[in-house]
């Protein structure tokens, strides 16, 4: 039932939570190594999925988020072949949800279309961090605006050793992986959680609802469920 | 989802990263796809998200992981849509895990019990206990019939066999105000308890020489202080996989502040992966290692002599002839209570000193006083440690000498130190000695009562307990005789000292988890005429019951809850009514009480009871609870162990003159006395009698996919963690001609199970593991509790789940066939269990 938008990959052995290398028997050093790589859509500046889509269903929003217009998607899956991060999944079946109607937070993705992480654009638009950020028990994720030099995310990328996945491919992801002995503290502190939102849709708040064609295109569907 | 989809190799082109930072570039203002409904109210097509439109219900999770996590539950159209971590009043304690945010699939799960049921072959006059089992059939009955039957059976059993034949059993599976404790005191009978029985070893050993804590994890500095630690040793605990929601971020804070992280574990775990130093210890050698570290500390004189003189009985004079403390009345006419005799180095005279008193006291030496030869307690400990040279222990424990010394050196010399064991080392038969050993080790390094000291994971907070008045001790109630879990088998099997006939079980899936030697329990339970069980789900345990009562999911109840592990009192608002005919446990208890003539002790409306708790407590108001979900309480000191210890001398007894003598398997008949830590082993010992027949040590670690046996049937989690597996080192597997992914028979003379082999380079050769908490129906055959002994030791009195040896072989060809490669090996728990 689940369509994985974000997978925490074990980098190591052939199974989840197992290392590669040799066990340090009898006091020898051993070579075991394991780490985790949370892998979701990297929201590339130069996104191969956007380029190959024959019907422009995959597009880059003005704010940089790469999204899919499920109405336009014809299920050809060129984008899946083009994505070097394996970030996309195809809906082979009719979607199933618990509860049946889903959360209604994000658009329904029907059978036959490709889907992937949206950076929780539906939350970002309301000033919320993506769900993966607010729910990370280790506070290992930071979300913010790279255009703002003073944002936490900008400071971290400036201060620590960071890299982008497969940077030699020239995709220029907007996701950075930070190395080093650090913890981002409590990124959620002082941030709004969803429960603090107004109960009514915030029509008066957004600056520009209709100005961007691609966004309004993505907004054409009635609500559906997420997984 | 397969492991292929969830792993990446370093050889893959993906590079690895410790932490992901994600951010947006480009982009100007905030955009919204949300549109308000127009005047006609029909513009719903324009609304693409209900985000922010759900009713947010403040509630709380409640299994025994000790996270006590406050949660926000999002409800719309009477349906739970999702859960999110809640920011409580003490906001740095926002927490939650993968399981907490998967609750919607627990609430709407096909294994939920819907109606009261009765075993078809059971009747009051002819209970047919032998007809229980996996094939037993159940028939739906009404609540009034069910409660009538329960009440009648209690009455009849008491009448025929006496009150002690009514047995009340509760596990740790559910937090909430049920009235269970109240009812059993009004009705009478006997009750069981974790003490002793489950996970009571490590704390017991720690408590014996410090006088602090009980039998579970001892007090520790609270997490706000952990960032001050300079060395943290996580000893036998996979803190980043189990209970990570409350501890992980604080450990990472300490690391960021420069703390060295040492992990002692025979398995390369999530936690070992984060360590600066990993000690891949052989199973059962933990006390050896602690003694080798003490040895290093003595040899290099890096102990904290001031602390030892002032806060331990290290300088206490001990008689060489019989090992007792030198009698203070021979030195002083009026010695202080619990005073110890020490040798004053300045005056060369013995003095008697009380607690928390330092001075120029000799830490080592031998003297003769009044013709009695004496030496210091610390000398006795040093003599013991001298038997455990790092080089020797390295060989015994499979470690490198340098690593042992490094760990000891960091703990002793880098500043504030901490050791965080959980319960795993206590799952060896004599694990309580490890509790004594690490408490002693930290006394040598002076790591008590200072900022940055840590003595346990999941710290307890004292403030947020509820003021429940007489709720737990009702007027007219009786106190029940209590038997530890380890004693219950004897009751059931031999009627010794009493024979239970009626069992009321709740909050527990004992036959799915943590009752070792399952077949023995199943047989023993045939002595019970009636088994009543209340649960949310149809578990392997309710399957063995005669009357099954469906309990409500936590989100379907209203409650006020204390918290043991963060300083917030929590409120549970009801998200919706219990599904089907499920009932809040409170109303189940009230229904039984009414039928037994105690109806006046249970108000018709549970809120009346909760209102008493709120009215009793100046800190609480309904308004606050409803609005915020939590109320902050903060009475717990940040730093623990700042005052005299709870021992008779007020000092840590690094030499325990009043030590018990442990007896049990693998030990000499006369037993071993434990004045100082002495490594004791049963089945993990190199010379264990059956070790050739059963060469592999079998452990069952906690995983991140379940809390004990709860969440076992959540489809999202099963996608990642499909079925029980056996972690086995490829070397051990290849020796046995077992390929990765094949089904294997894991067995010993007690029992067996069939599970899929999972090659794991990170498990020590000679050790195998199946994560605990899988239900009986998840196994092709048998269960992981079947090969484990229920035997306990005289002093430890604790089930030894990891003190188990097995042999593993490739399962018969029939097990390898396609029918066992489905989502579930028996084809029963896949889609049917899922709620999808």
């Amino acid at each position: 039932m689940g369509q994985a938008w974000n997978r925490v990959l074990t980098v190591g052995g052939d199974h989840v939570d197992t290392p590669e290398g040799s066990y340090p028997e009898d006091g020898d050093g051993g070579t075991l190594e394991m780490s985790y790589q949370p892998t979701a859509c990297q929201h590339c500046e130069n996104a191969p999925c956007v380029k190959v889509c024959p019907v422009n269903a995959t597009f880059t929003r003005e704010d940089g988020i790469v999204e899919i217009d499920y109405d336009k998607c014809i299920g050809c899956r060129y984008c899946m072949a083009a994505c070097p991060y394996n970030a996309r999944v195809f809906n082979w079946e009719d979607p199933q949800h618990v509860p049946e109607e889903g959360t209604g937070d994000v658009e329904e993705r029907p059978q036959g279309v490709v889907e992937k992480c949206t950076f929780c654009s539906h939350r970002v638009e309301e000033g919320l961090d993506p769900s993966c950020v607010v729910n990370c028990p280790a506070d290992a994720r930071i979300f913010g605006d790279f255009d703002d030099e003073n944002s936490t995310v900008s400071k971290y990328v400036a201060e620590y050793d960071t890299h982008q996945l497969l940077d030699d491919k020239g995709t220029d992801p907007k996701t950075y992986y930070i190395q080093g002995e650090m913890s981002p503290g409590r990124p959620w502190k002082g941030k709004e959680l969803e429960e603090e939102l107004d109960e009514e849709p915030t029509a008066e708040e957004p600056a520009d609802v209709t100005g961007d064609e691609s966004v309004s295109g993505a907004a054409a569907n009635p609500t559906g469920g997420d997984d | 989802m397969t492991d292929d989809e969830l792993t990446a190799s370093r050889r893959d082109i993906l590079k690895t990263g410790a932490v992901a930072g994600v951010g947006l570039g480009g982009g100007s203002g905030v955009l919204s796809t949300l549109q308000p409904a127009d005047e006609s109210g029909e513009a719903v097509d324009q609304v693409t998200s209900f985000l922010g439109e759900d009713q947010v219900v403040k509630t709380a999770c409640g299994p025994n992981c000790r996270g006590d996590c406050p949660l926000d539950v999002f409800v719309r159209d009477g349906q739970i849509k999702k859960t999110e971590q809640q920011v409580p009043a003490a906001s740095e304690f926002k927490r939650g895990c993968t399981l907490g945010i998967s609750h919607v699939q627990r609430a709407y799960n096909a294994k939920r019990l819907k109606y009261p049921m009765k075993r078809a072959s059971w009747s009051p006059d002819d209970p047919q206990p032998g007809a229980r089992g996996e094939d037993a059939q159940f028939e739906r009955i009404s609540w009034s019939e069910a409660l009538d039957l329960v009440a009648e059976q209690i009455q009849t059993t008491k009448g025929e066999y006496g009150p002690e034949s009514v047995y009340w059993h509760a596990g740790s599976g559910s937090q909430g105000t049920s009235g269970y404790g109240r009812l059993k005191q009004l009705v009478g009978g006997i009750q069981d308890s974790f003490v002793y029985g489950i996970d009571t070893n490590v704390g017991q050993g720690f408590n014996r020489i410090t006088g602090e804590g009980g039998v579970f994890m001892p007090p520790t500095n609270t997490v706000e202080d952990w960032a001050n630690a300079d060395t943290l040793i996580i000893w036998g605990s996979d803190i980043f996989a189990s209970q990570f929601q409350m501890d992980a971020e604080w450990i990472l804070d300490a690391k960021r502040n420069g703390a060295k992280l040492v992990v002692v574990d025979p398995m390369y775990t999530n936690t070992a992966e984060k360590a600066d130093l990993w000690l891949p210890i052989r199973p059962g050698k933990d006390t050896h290692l602690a003694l080798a570290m003490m040895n290093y500390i003595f040899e290099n004189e890096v102990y904290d002599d001031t602390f030892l003189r002032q806060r331990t009985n290290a300088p206490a004079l001990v008689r060489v002839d019989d090992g007792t403390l030198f009698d203070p009345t021979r030195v002083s006419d009026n010695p202080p209570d619990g005073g110890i005799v020490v040798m004053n180095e300045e005056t060369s005279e013995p003095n008697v000193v009380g607690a928390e008193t330092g001075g120029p006291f000799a830490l080592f030496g031998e003297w003769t006083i009044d013709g009695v030869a004496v030496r210091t307690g610390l000398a006795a400990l040093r003599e013991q440690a001298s038997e455990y040279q790092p080089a020797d222990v390295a060989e015994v424990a499979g470690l490198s000498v340098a690593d042992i010394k490094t760990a000891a050196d960091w703990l002793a010399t880098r500043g504030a130190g901490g050791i965080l064991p959980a319960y795993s080392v206590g799952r060896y038969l004599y694990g309580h000695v490890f509790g004594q050993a690490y408490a002693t080790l930290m006394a040598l390094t002076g790591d008590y009562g200072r900022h940055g000291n840590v003595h346990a994971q999941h710290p307890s907070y004292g403030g947020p307990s509820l003021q429940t008045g007489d709720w737990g001790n009702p007027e007219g109630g009786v106190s029940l005789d209590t038997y530890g879990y380890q004693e219950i088998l004897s009751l059931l099997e031999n009627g010794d000292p009493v024979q239970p006939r009626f069992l009321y079980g709740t909050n527990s899936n004992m036959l799915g988890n943590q009752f070792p030697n399952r077949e023995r329990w199943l047989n023993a339970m045939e002595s019970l005429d009636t088994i009543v069980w209340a649960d949310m789900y149809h578990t392997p345990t309710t399957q063995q019951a005669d009357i099954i009562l469906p309990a409500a999911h936590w989100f379907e109840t209203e409650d006020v809850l204390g918290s043991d592990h963060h300083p917030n009192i929590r409120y549970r608002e009801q998200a919706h009514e219990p599904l089907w005919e499920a009932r809040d446990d409170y109303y189940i208890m009230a229904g039984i009480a009414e039928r037994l003539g105690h109806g006046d002790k249970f108000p018709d409306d549970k809120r009346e009871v909760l209102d008493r708790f709120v009215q009793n407590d100046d800190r609480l108001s309904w308004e606050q609870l409803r609005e915020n979900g939590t109320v902050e309480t903060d009475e717990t000191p940040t730093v623990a162990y700042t005052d005299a210890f709870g021992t008779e001398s007020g000092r840590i007894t690094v030499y325990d003159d009043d030590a018990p003598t442990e007896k049990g398997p693998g030990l000499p008949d006369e037993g071993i006395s434990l004045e100082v830590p002495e490594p004791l082993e049963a089945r993990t010992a190199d010379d264990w009698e059956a070790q050739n027949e059963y060469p592999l040590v079998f452990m069952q670690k906690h995983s991140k996919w379940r809390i004990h046996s709860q969440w076992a049937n959540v489809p999202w989690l099963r996608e990642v963690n499909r079925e029980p597996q056996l972690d086995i080192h490829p070397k051990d597997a290849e020796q046995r001609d077992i390929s990765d992914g094949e089904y294997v028979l894991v067995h010993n003379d007690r029992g067996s199970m069939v599970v899929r082999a999972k090659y794991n380079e990170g498990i020590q050769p000679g050790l195998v593991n199946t994560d605990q908490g899988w239900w009986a129906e998840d196994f092709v055959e048998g269960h992981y509790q079947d090969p484990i002994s229920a035997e306990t030791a005289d002093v430890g009195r604790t089930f030894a789940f990891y003190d188990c040896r097995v042999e593993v072989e490739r399962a018969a060809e029939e097990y390898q066939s396609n029918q066992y490669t489905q989502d579930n090996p028996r084809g029963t728990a896949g889609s049917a269990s899922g709620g999808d």
Side-chain angles (χ1 to χ4, degrees), chain A residues 2 10 15 23 25-26 34 36-37 105 125 134 139-140 142 144 146-147 163 166 176 178 183 186 188 194, chain B residues 3 8 13 15-16 19 21-22 24 26 30-31 49 82 91 94 249 253 256 266 270 273 282 719 731:
Chain A
T10 301
H15 296 291
Y23 192 94
E25 280 187 89
D26 305 323
M34 178 171 78
Y36 293 95
Q37 177 181 287
D105 288 349
E125 284 157 5
V134 300
D139 294 330
I142 316 165
F146 280 136
D147 284 348
H163 71 262
L166 306 177
Y176 288 80
I178 308 171
S183 126
R186 306 289 180 271
W188 47 268
E194 186 179 335
Chain B
D3 278 6
I13 42 177
K15 290 180 186 170
T16 70
V19 176
V22 294
L24 288 177
V30 170
L31 297 168
S49 176
K82 62 183 177 186
S91 65
K94 168 179 165 284
E249 59 191 347
D253 284 351
R256 190 185 185 190
N270 282 18
E273 178 256 306
R282 289 208 181 106
E719 283 187 9
K731 199 155 87 176

Side-chain angles (χ1 to χ4, degrees), chain A residues 124-136:
Chain A
V124 173
E125 284 157 5
E126 294 292 307
L128 302 169
D129 276 346
S131 281
C132 61
V133 175
V134 300
N135 284 304
C136 177

Side-chain angles (χ1 to χ4, degrees), chain A residues 41-125:
Chain A
C41 175
Q42 305 289 300
H43 297 279
C44 306
E45 189 68 40
N46 183 23
C49 55
V50 174
K51 286 185 181 165
V52 300
C53 181
V55 293
N56 296 328
T58 290
F59 60 95
T60 306
R61 293 162 35 130
E62 196 177 305
D63 60 7
I65 293 176
V66 175
E67 261 189 20
I68 299 167
D69 182 338
Y70 307 117
D71 277 350
K72 289 184 180 170
C73 179
I74 56 172
C76 70
R77 288 171 277 144
Y78 282 3
C79 54
M80 291 178 71
C83 174
Y85 306 104
N86 197 21
R88 292 170 164 253
V89 288
F90 182 67
N91 275 322
W92 292 98
E93 317 257 351
D94 267 335
Q96 296 181 332
H97 307 286
V98 172
E100 278 180 21
E101 298 79 9
T103 65
D105 288 349
V106 296
E107 271 185 276
E108 189 171 5
R109 288 87 59 210
Q111 183 181 22
V113 303
V114 169
E115 60 179 277
K116 65 167 191 71
C117 156
T118 62
F119 261 170
C120 284
S121 55
H122 62 294
R123 296 175 60 91
V124 173
E125 284 157 5

Side-chain angles (χ1 to χ4, degrees), chain B residues 122 127 132 149-151 153-155 157-158 161-171 180 183-184 187-193 485 488 491-492 499-511 515 521-522 524-534 541-542 544-549 589 592:
Chain B
W122 178 90
R132 291 187 194 120
L149 282 172
V150 174
Q153 287 310 104
I154 290 174
Q155 297 278 44
T157 310
K158 274 174 79 171
Y161 303 105
E164 67 279 3
S165 55
V166 173
Y167 164 30
W168 300 88
H169 162 81
Y180 165 78
L183 179 70
K184 67 184 177 183
V187 172
I190 62 165
Q191 63 187 349
D192 60 17
S193 163
Y485 286 144
I488 294 291
L491 267 60
L492 293 172
Q499 180 72 61
R501 303 275 178 184
F502 168 95
L503 164 61
Y504 188 95
T506 185
N507 297 359
S508 165
N509 180 17
M510 58 185 270
L511 295 169
F515 270 45
W521 285 93
L522 288 172
M525 287 166 72
E526 286 194 28
S527 62
L528 294 162
D529 296 330
T530 310
I531 301 176
V532 181
W533 217 278
T541 306
T542 60
Q544 301 291 337
D546 304 316
I547 298 169
I548 301 176
L549 307 176
M589 291 296 128
I592 299 170

Side-chain angles (χ1 to χ4, degrees), chain B residues 805-825:
Chain B
R805 276 184 182 274
V806 295
E807 180 53 292
V808 176
E809 59 191 74
R810 189 173 183 276
E813 206 55 47
E814 68 200 80
Y815 295 116
Q816 313 294 347
S817 64
N818 287 339
Q819 63 178 309
Y820 298 111
T821 62
Q822 300 302 311
D823 273 356
N824 185 272

Side-chain angles (χ1 to χ4, degrees), chain B residues 773-792:
Chain B
W774 290 103
W775 292 14
E777 56 262 46
D778 296 324
F779 291 83
V780 172
E781 204 170 280
H783 190 267
Y784 70 89
Q785 295 191 117
D786 291 351
I788 306 167
S789 169
E791 189 175 24
T792 57

